Amino acid sequence: MIQRNTPELFVRDVDEAVRFYTDVLGFQLEARMPEDASQPTEWAMVQQGGAAFMFEKPEQPRSPDGVAFYLAVEDAGALAGVLRGRGAAVEGPVDKHYGMREVLVRDPNGYRLIFSSAVPAVETAGASS
């Protein structure tokens, strides 16, 4: 049985990716290689709650266009303000027809991170049960 899914993203600069995910998105650095921080990072993993990402610089450039990551959060609208305050270029929040409120952020390598929460139920004034 699968216990966890951790995508590995191929990036231009592993240290830049780690800074964005830790400083802007609030992830924690879990591991890096080489372990000696005075050397450029070749591979790293960050984690927050049940989400984790690995980063690696590939020998050949790769495109991030074919993938988007949906990250469930408690309140996407509130998170949008937090991320803007940390310097992220944020699109949204946008309420989708399928009942989700979504916020889009692109990381420094162009990967789409979509933070999503349920649209709060709106009570109609004077509605009877």
Side-chain angles (χ1 to χ4, degrees):
M1 193 72 166
I2 296 172
Q3 296 293 312
R4 179 175 168 174
N5 176 31
T6 305
E8 182 171 38
L9 307 181
F10 296 102
V11 298
R12 293 180 307 269
D13 181 325
V14 175
D15 290 314
E16 175 187 50
V18 168
R19 278 191 301 276
F20 178 81
Y21 280 77
T22 57
D23 295 350
V24 176
L25 300 182
F27 281 72
Q28 299 296 314
L29 178 64
E30 292 293 314
R32 74 181 299 277
M33 286 188 213
E35 290 182 13
D36 179 356
S38 68
Q39 298 178 7
T41 309
E42 297 172 12
W43 174 92
M45 183 169 71
V46 297
Q47 181 174 342
Q48 183 188 129
F53 292 96
M54 295 182 290
F55 307 107
E56 182 176 348
K57 185 174 181 178
E59 291 183 25
Q60 299 292 324
R62 299 188 182 176
S63 171
D65 293 334
V67 64
F69 298 93
Y70 281 81
L71 302 156
V73 298
E74 188 173 323
D75 185 342
L79 181 61
V82 170
L83 296 178
R84 281 187 181 102
R86 293 178 182 164
V90 176
E91 295 178 28
V94 175
D95 291 349
K96 298 294 190 169
H97 69 279
Y98 41 84
M100 300 303 288
R101 178 166 292 154
E102 296 180 353
V103 171
L104 171 71
V105 174
R106 287 190 184 265
D107 79 0
N109 291 280
Y111 288 103
R112 293 174 291 148
L113 306 171
I114 300 167
F115 298 91
S116 177
S117 62
V119 174
V122 178
E123 294 182 3
T124 306
S128 59
S129 309

